[in-house]
Amino acid sequence: MPQIDVYDSPDLLAASAGELFFELAHRAIRETGTFSALLSGGTTPRAVYRWLAEHGDMLDWHRVRLFFGDERCVPPGHPDSNYRMVRESMLDVLDNLGVTTYRIPAEYPPEEASSRYETLLRSLFDGTPVFDLVLLGLGADAHTASLFPGTTAIHEEQAWVLAHYIESVAAWRITVTPPLLNNARVVAFIVSGESKSAAVDAVLHGGRAVDIYPAQIIQPVRGDLRWLLDKDAAKLILSG
Ligand code: 6PG
């Protein structure tokens, strides 16, 4: 069963997610010498990344490797780029602290970008990567990363990274796949706002229907599953 924590405000949610990041980073660095985290895109985690940058002196960033769970098919400086969001909210502050960031090269055509990222991952990890932390967001349609409802990527069992066209957003996206996401030591959903409350309730309390609620495919094989919610996002599961 996932651990579900509800916080009174988006700021408290962001700080708690940041503290979890540091807790897992210190543990991984103590045990293995490095901390590998897969970052979520979108807007919700921006506050988490800002909090990490503000408290950056709490971590030896030389031992930290950051990866991305998905990317829009735009150059890294494009306003829609998840990498740009992370750079502006965190990396620009941390750059002189030695963090290593592996962005998805979405300036290439989608299939090539996906293939390049998978090749990079295979060069960095022996076997399926075990991320110490995977941060995920949740769309109002219950998508996560870029695993959108009705897409075959939800059921991918071989590839680690895929590119696909998403009708609902009329855009190509690159996403890591469930085999990678579910191999993590800890997967943490960070969800804020009443607009997500129905999706949270459906994913956690609805019947299993991964093609409709893709976030349900996230079931860590050996790791822990965490949901960090603010009270608006938790509104329906609290009232049930
Ligand atoms: C993206 C994200 C995506 C995001 C959800 C929630 O590229 O947009 O990876 O999965 O986490 O869409 O987005 P918000 O946090 O902006 O609501």
Side-chain angles (χ1 to χ4, degrees), residues 184-204:
R185 292 183 68 179
V186 176
V187 180
F189 281 93
I190 317 292
V191 192
S192 173
E194 186 169 350
S195 68
K196 306 293 179 69
S197 60
V200 168
D201 188 41
V203 170
L204 288 174

Side-chain angles (χ1 to χ4, degrees), residues 151-164:
T151 60
T152 55
I154 297 166
H155 302 283
E156 178 59 41
E157 293 183 351
Q158 302 304 320
W160 294 354
V161 189
L162 286 177
H164 55 171

Side-chain angles (χ1 to χ4, degrees):
M1 286 300 290
Q3 178 177 328
I4 302 170
D5 296 294
V6 180
Y7 301 94
D8 282 343
S9 71
D11 286 348
L12 283 172
L13 169 63
S16 302
E19 287 165 354
L20 175 63
F21 184 101
F22 282 148
E23 173 197 334
L24 296 176
H26 291 142
R27 180 179 78 177
I29 291 167
R30 192 170 55 246
E31 293 174 356
T32 68
T34 60
F35 172 61
S36 296
L38 192 88
L39 301 181
S40 169
T43 58
T44 302
R46 192 177 288 147
V48 181
Y49 303 145
R50 285 201 190 107
W51 188 93
L52 290 171
E54 286 162 14
H55 299 79
D57 57 356
M58 290 173 66
L59 187 59
D60 178 0
W61 291 90
H62 288 93
R63 296 181 176 275
V64 176
R65 302 189 303 178
L66 301 176
F67 300 82
F68 285 76
D70 73 330
E71 188 55 278
R72 291 81 181 279
C73 290
V74 294
H78 190 282
D80 291 348
S81 166
N82 284 334
Y83 170 76
R84 174 172 163 174
M85 180 273 290
V86 172
R87 183 175 54 74
E88 290 177 340
S89 49
M90 179 166 68
L91 298 180
D92 284 349
V93 178
L94 297 180
D95 254 355
N96 61 346
L97 294 182
V99 60
T100 303
T101 304
Y102 298 98
R103 66 177 182 83
I104 296 173
E107 64 273 23
Y108 288 96
E111 302 290 349
E112 180 174 352
S114 166
S115 170
R116 281 174 175 263
Y117 205 54
E118 175 141 354
T119 299
L120 171 71
L121 293 176
R122 290 186 182 278
S123 74
L124 292 170
F125 294 90
D126 294 327
T128 305
V130 180
F131 290 105
D132 299 297
L133 172 62
V134 167
L135 289 180
L136 291 173
L138 183 74
D141 61 356
H143 82 263
T144 191
S146 283
L147 302 172
F148 281 80
T151 60
T152 55
I154 297 166
H155 302 283
E156 178 59 41
E157 293 183 351
Q158 302 304 320
W160 294 354
V161 189
L162 286 177
H164 55 171
Y165 184 78
I166 309 297
E167 296 288 348
S168 60
V169 297
W172 279 83
R173 290 285 188 90
I174 297 158
T175 188
V176 301
T177 60
L180 226 65
L181 296 168
N182 285 331
N183 209 42
R185 292 183 68 179
V186 176
V187 180
F189 281 93
I190 317 292
V191 192
S192 173
E194 186 169 350
S195 68
K196 306 293 179 69
S197 60
V200 168
D201 188 41
V203 170
L204 288 174
H205 295 161
R208 185 157 175 84
V210 296
D211 291 299
I212 303 169
Y213 311 125
Q216 289 182 338
I217 203 72
I218 305 302
Q219 298 292 333
V221 176
R222 286 172 300 279
D224 299 331
L225 180 57
R226 304 279 302 266
W227 285 79
L228 287 78
L229 309 167
D230 65 16
K231 64 178 189 301
D232 288 340
K235 185 177 179 182
L236 292 181
I237 63 170
L238 293 177
S239 63

